[in-house]
């Protein structure tokens, strides 16, 4: 049977590690997207915080952009050869007036500005556009509001990349656990911390391990988010608010301990080989009350979260139907998180698809 091909114009907010990873996947998978899923994608706009914005309703040459950008990564997009004619000023104006079908929002998550990226998402949903995002703040703090706004305007909002990068947490739980209740979860949700802990147990010092995680593109723009446990806390909030019914929780409800102030005793204990030291996020539904915590724990050998090399993440869900369900996979990285956006984009194109709370 021949697949009917539909156009999908993308407005990309953010051209850091994730935005670039997404663009190179779009380019690499272009014919597969058309042939298998009937989606003919083009990127009509790209906005950045500090390097200008470009807009071309007939489609930006992504291959040329990636090539020119790699030659001169600090330069404004508008100054790259071939892009000065399509330079525009205001990202928000593009959200409100630009031509696109899907807003791909991958701007930086910030605790100083908890609503960073929120207005872009609100603006797109208000126009009846769909949104795919990897930005944790808007989903952790405004999930219900954004879902309502999407429903009211016949748009959709998908956010696979907010937890465990492209490892399909929400696709798996929402589509594969229909009719189940998730009672609790336990997860390693931050790739940077997992990477650092592994290196420190091997004898490397904290700062050089963090430097390596930054170089590999795992860490947040402000790595304090990772090592102080806030990134894990936001992801745990998202899991709790999306997967477990009952009233939503806030960051103030989460007990948070990071890996930045680990005592030498805990490290020594871990080095002695009694299990593996991990930064664990826990969520529990207890007598209709949810509780969430984040903190370092030793995980015993044989536990599903014992073998997670490098930036790998893991999630253990306790369900009332299957008992324990485990998911492990990439937790951070440019291509890995860019893939989450690609997966969400294809999901949007599926007829009758609705993402909902299970
Ligand atoms: N800084 C995050 C991590 C990126 O290390 O897990 C993915 O959300």
């Amino acid at each position: 049977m021949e697949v009917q091909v539909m156009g999908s114009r993308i407005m990309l907010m953010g051209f850091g590690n994730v935005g670039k990873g997404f663009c190179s996947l779009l380019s690499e998978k272009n014919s597969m997207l058309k042939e298998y899923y009937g989606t003919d994608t083009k990127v009509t706009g790209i906005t950045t915080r500090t390097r200008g914005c470009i807009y071309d309703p007939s489609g930006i040459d992504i291959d040329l952009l990636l090539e020119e950008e790699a030659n001169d990564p600090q330069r404004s997009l508008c100054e790259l050869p071939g892009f000065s004619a399509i330079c525009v000023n205001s990202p928000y104006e593009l959200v409100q007036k630009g031509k696109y079908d899907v807003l791909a929002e991958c701007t930086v998550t910030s605790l100083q500005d908890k609503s960073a990226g929120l207005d872009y998402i609100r603006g797109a949903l208000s126009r009846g556009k769909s949104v795919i995002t990897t930005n944790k703040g808007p989903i952790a703090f405004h999930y219900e509001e954004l879902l309502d706004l999407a429903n009211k305007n016949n748009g959709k909002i998908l956010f696979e990349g907010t937890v465990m990068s492209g490892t399909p947490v929400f696709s798996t739980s929402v589509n594969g656990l229909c009719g189940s209740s998730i009672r609790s979860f336990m997860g390693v949700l931050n790739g940077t911390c997992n990477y650092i802990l592994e290196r420190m147990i091997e004898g490397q010092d904290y700062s050089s391990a963090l430097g390596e995680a930054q170089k590999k593109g795992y860490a947040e723009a402000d790595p304090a988010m990772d090592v102080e446990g806030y990134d894990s806390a936001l992801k745990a909030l998202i899991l709790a608010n999306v997967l477990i019914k009952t009233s939503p929780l806030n960051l103030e409800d989460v007990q948070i301990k990071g890996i930045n102030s680990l005592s030498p005793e805990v490290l020594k204990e871990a080095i002695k080989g009694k299990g593996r030291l991990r930064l664990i996020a826990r969520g529990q539904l207890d007598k209709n009350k949810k509780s969430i915590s984040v903190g370092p724990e030793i995980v015993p050998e044989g536990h599903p979260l014992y073998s997670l090399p490098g930036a790998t993440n893991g999630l253990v869900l306790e369900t009332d139907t299957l008992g324990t369900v485990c998911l492990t996979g990439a937790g951070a990285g440019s291509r890995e998180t860019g893939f989450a956006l690609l997966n969400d984009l294809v999901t949007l194109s599926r007829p009758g698809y609705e993402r909902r709370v299970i």
Side-chain angles (χ1 to χ4, degrees), residues 151-181:
N151 290 337
K152 223 180 268 165
N153 293 289
N154 286 325
K156 286 175 187 147
I157 176 157
L158 300 186
F159 43 85
E160 187 64 82
T162 55
V163 180
M164 289 175 73
S165 70
T167 303
V169 174
F170 297 109
S171 322
T172 304
S173 334
V174 173
N175 298 316
L177 292 175
C178 297
S180 298
S181 291

Side-chain angles (χ1 to χ4, degrees), residues 121-297:
I121 297 180
R122 281 187 182 138
L125 292 176
S126 303
R127 287 182 70 191
K129 309 291 183 192
S130 287
V131 172
I132 55 181
T133 183
T134 58
N135 186 357
K136 287 149 258 188
I139 305 301
F141 302 123
H142 302 275
Y143 173 61
E144 297 283 332
E145 176 213 318
L146 295 175
L147 202 61
D148 281 353
L149 191 60
N151 290 337
K152 223 180 268 165
N153 293 289
N154 286 325
K156 286 175 187 147
I157 176 157
L158 300 186
F159 43 85
E160 187 64 82
T162 55
V163 180
M164 289 175 73
S165 70
T167 303
V169 174
F170 297 109
S171 322
T172 304
S173 334
V174 173
N175 298 316
L177 292 175
C178 297
S180 298
S181 291
I182 295 171
R183 301 290 187 210
S184 67
F185 64 82
M186 173 183 182
V188 168
L189 304 178
N190 185 275
T192 302
C193 287
N194 207 56
Y195 184 88
I196 293 175
L197 287 174
E198 190 177 79
R199 291 287 171 275
M200 282 174 76
I201 302 291
E202 287 166 7
Q204 197 171 339
D205 68 86
Y206 172 82
S207 339
S208 76
L210 171 59
E212 264 181 36
Q214 286 178 296
K215 239 192 239 151
K216 286 178 181 284
Y218 300 152
E220 295 298 296
D222 174 6
M225 284 271 294
D226 297 292
V227 297
E228 291 176 8
Y230 287 100
D231 180 77
S232 298
L234 291 182
K235 290 166 176 166
L237 263 182
I238 295 173
L239 287 175
N241 290 340
V242 174
L243 299 182
I244 302 182
K245 283 175 212 155
T246 70
S247 54
L249 291 179
N250 294 308
L251 197 58
E252 298 72 48
D253 303 314
V254 190
Q255 292 169 28
I256 309 171
K257 251 199 217 160
I259 62 159
N260 51 327
S261 53
L262 275 177
S263 72
E265 288 72 38
V266 174
L267 267 176
K268 249 190 243 154
E269 211 41 31
I271 290 165
K272 271 199 257 161
K274 290 189 182 165
R276 298 238 162 102
L277 187 58
R278 306 262 178 241
L279 185 66
I280 301 287
R282 287 177 179 274
Q284 185 87 34
L285 179 66
D286 191 18
K287 290 194 188 115
N288 277 336
K289 201 173 166 283
K290 284 189 266 190
S291 63
I292 314 181
S293 60
V294 171
E297 288 182 34

